[in-house]
Amino acid sequence: MSNWTRNTKKIGELATGHELTIPVYRFAGTDSNAPRVYIQANVHGAEVQGNAVIFQLMKQLEKLELQGDITLVPLANPLGINQKSGEFTLGRFDPITGVNWNREYQDLTPSLSDWFEAHKHLPTEQFIAAYRQSLLNSCHQQLDSPWGVTTGRRLALSLQLMAHEADIVLDLHTGPKSCKHLYCPEYTRDAAGLFSIPCVLMMPNEFGGAMDEAAFYPWWQLTDYVVSRGMTMTPAVEAYTLELGSQERIDMQDAADDCEGILAFLANRGVIKADIEPKAMARYSCALADYRKFHSPMGGLVEYLAAPGTPLSAGEPLVRILRPDRFGESEQQQTLCLPEDSIPVLHFASASVYQGTELYKVMTKYTRLS
Ligand SMILES: [Zn+2]
């Protein structure tokens, strides 16, 4: 007998009346006290590799001893995934509103002083369950608003409903042209050494509309409030965004490596019963505030010289910009550098750019983790 089920969840309707649906896989654990996990992939249309990782994970989960329940949602944004133009997939922004699909999630943190006063008498387990229920209720309230809800918000809230049921949330993305990197909340720094991911961005207690933040921020806010009242608490939920290489790419072997990393993390957290060592590799981290964008000082055609994932000293070549319209002048070809030592993490996918295009994102002031 298999240990999983597949359901189809409706997340919207097209003009023709066709339903937008996503597949929801549920693997049942044996221990109701073990952490519950929610994993989704492909909310940005071109970022398909997370689906391959979910596929590899499910192949392993069929064979492994599961303690906690695991819910997996590949192909989480059908509208974005099917938004093709020529040979490329767009699917980063809702085409109607222009909003990034990964900025539609909602901060559902209640008014903490009121909520705390009403619930502080509860024992820890019930206190946590009541807080989770308040997040779920707010989610339902927004979805059921008599004023309706935008297409993008409906998708986000539908996904968020499943995420708030979990103790561990993994949102699988990729960069444009990118090395693997992890967004990790500061309070669970130890997780950075478990995934098969070399570059780690340490996130502060702030909310910007992404899935990982929607999952961890209300719990981090609650924890800080409880601690400010002289009590002890650690956040009951942890959430991460895993950026698994470049967009428009499926690599099953690489997916198997990332599957191992996720299993090492899940084994460490008691979700699966298995002895899986994290991969030995050089890992680097920096604070999110030190993850800097480099914008092109001019328009032109770009040769990307710095390889994502390889440390680059200040003054070493980053990009070369070609301007065929300026042949014979000093602007015909220019090499640009960064003023600080860095690790380039990702660069823009296209070789033609406007002035001001975000060419690279780089880690600065980084430290070695392992
Ligand atoms: Zn993404």
Side-chain angles (χ1 to χ4, degrees):
M1 204 181 89
S2 67
N3 60 349
W4 56 269
T5 58
R6 179 178 59 217
N7 288 296
T8 300
K9 184 177 171 73
K10 182 180 168 185
I11 49 89
E13 273 175 20
L14 296 174
T16 46
H18 289 96
E19 288 192 353
L20 288 170
T21 62
I22 54 176
V24 179
Y25 292 90
R26 292 188 196 277
F27 283 72
T30 51
D31 180 356
S32 59
N33 292 317
R36 285 161 298 172
V37 180
Y38 173 74
I39 304 176
Q40 68 176 26
N42 211 180
V43 162
H44 286 140
E47 303 178 5
V48 290
Q49 176 68 359
N51 299 308
V53 174
I54 285 182
F55 181 88
Q56 298 286 36
L57 265 174
M58 294 199 295
K59 301 264 278 187
Q60 296 301 317
L61 295 176
E62 278 193 308
K63 295 181 276 186
L64 284 164
E65 193 176 331
L66 264 65
Q67 292 174 290
D69 295 340
I70 305 181
T71 300
L72 303 108
V73 178
L75 307 169
N77 180 1
L79 210 50
I81 296 162
N82 287 310
Q83 195 196 355
K84 305 288 292 186
S85 182
E87 61 192 291
F88 297 105
T89 312
L90 304 176
R92 185 170 185 79
F93 306 97
D94 178 337
I96 309 295
T97 59
V99 179
N100 185 326
W101 291 107
N102 194 27
R103 298 292 180 276
E104 290 276 21
Y105 300 98
Q106 296 299 293
D107 168 21
L108 303 177
T109 309
S111 159
L112 286 172
S113 49
D114 296 348
W115 192 91
F116 184 77
E117 280 310 310
H119 298 88
K120 63 183 180 188
H121 61 282
L122 292 174
T124 305
E125 206 171 305
Q126 288 172 36
F127 181 83
I128 287 171
Y131 194 70
R132 190 186 300 281
Q133 196 54 53
S134 112
L135 298 176
L136 291 168
N137 292 349
S138 303
C139 214
H140 278 296
Q141 257 168 28
Q142 292 210 14
L143 272 170
D144 299 338
S145 163
W147 297 97
V149 53
T150 65
T151 310
R153 186 67 49 86
R154 176 176 300 281
L155 172 67
L157 287 166
S158 301
L159 299 173
Q160 215 174 320
L161 260 183
M162 292 187 281
H164 283 314
E165 297 271 12
D167 307 296
I168 293 172
V169 173
L170 305 182
D171 192 12
L172 310 186
H173 285 249
T174 78
K177 297 287 180 190
S178 175
C179 68
K180 292 177 192 172
H181 54 292
L182 174 74
Y183 288 87
C184 176
E186 280 280 359
Y187 65 85
T188 54
R189 299 181 71 88
D190 73 298
L194 300 172
F195 297 103
S196 305
I197 297 182
C199 293
V200 181
L201 308 162
M202 292 295 176
M203 301 184 74
N205 191 0
E206 288 169 10
F207 181 78
M211 167 56 100
D212 54 353
E213 296 163 337
F216 72 62
Y217 180 76
W219 292 96
W220 202 347
Q221 291 290 102
L222 175 68
T223 301
D224 279 1
Y225 187 83
V226 169
V227 169
S228 78
R229 300 292 301 259
M231 284 161 269
T232 55
M233 183 179 178
T234 50
V237 166
E238 46 185 321
Y240 306 87
T241 299
L242 284 68
E243 303 271 353
L244 303 170
S246 302
Q247 65 190 22
E248 298 280 21
R249 164 182 171 272
I250 290 286
D251 180 326
M252 292 310 287
Q253 184 51 51
D254 205 26
D257 282 354
D258 284 309
C259 170
E260 275 296 298
I262 291 172
L263 290 176
F265 168 75
L266 295 180
N268 178 278
R269 296 303 199 246
V271 178
I272 56 174
K273 224 176 192 170
D275 212 5
I276 302 172
E277 282 297 308
K279 194 170 180 167
M281 65 196 301
R283 292 181 175 84
Y284 299 91
S285 83
C286 77
L288 190 64
D290 295 319
Y291 187 42
R292 303 286 301 266
K293 297 171 179 174
F294 176 71
H295 297 97
S296 186
M298 66 199 79
L301 308 176
V302 181
E303 183 177 3
Y304 297 95
L305 300 174
T310 306
L312 185 78
S313 298
E316 280 192 293
L318 180 74
V319 289
R320 191 179 290 127
I321 309 236
L322 178 66
R323 286 289 296 262
D325 60 312
R326 296 290 191 92
F327 185 67
E329 300 174 27
S330 62
E331 289 85 3
Q332 63 180 1
Q333 210 182 144
Q334 293 184 65
T335 302
L336 307 178
C337 314
L338 294 174
E340 281 183 57
D341 291 351
S342 68
I343 300 177
V345 171
L346 59 85
H347 65 72
F348 196 58
S350 170
S352 61
V353 302
Y354 300 155
Q355 184 179 39
T357 294
E358 190 181 295
L359 279 183
Y360 269 92
K361 284 172 93 170
V362 305
M363 293 170 64
T364 64
K365 300 182 178 64
Y366 59 89
T367 54
R368 177 108 186 225
L369 279 174
S370 61

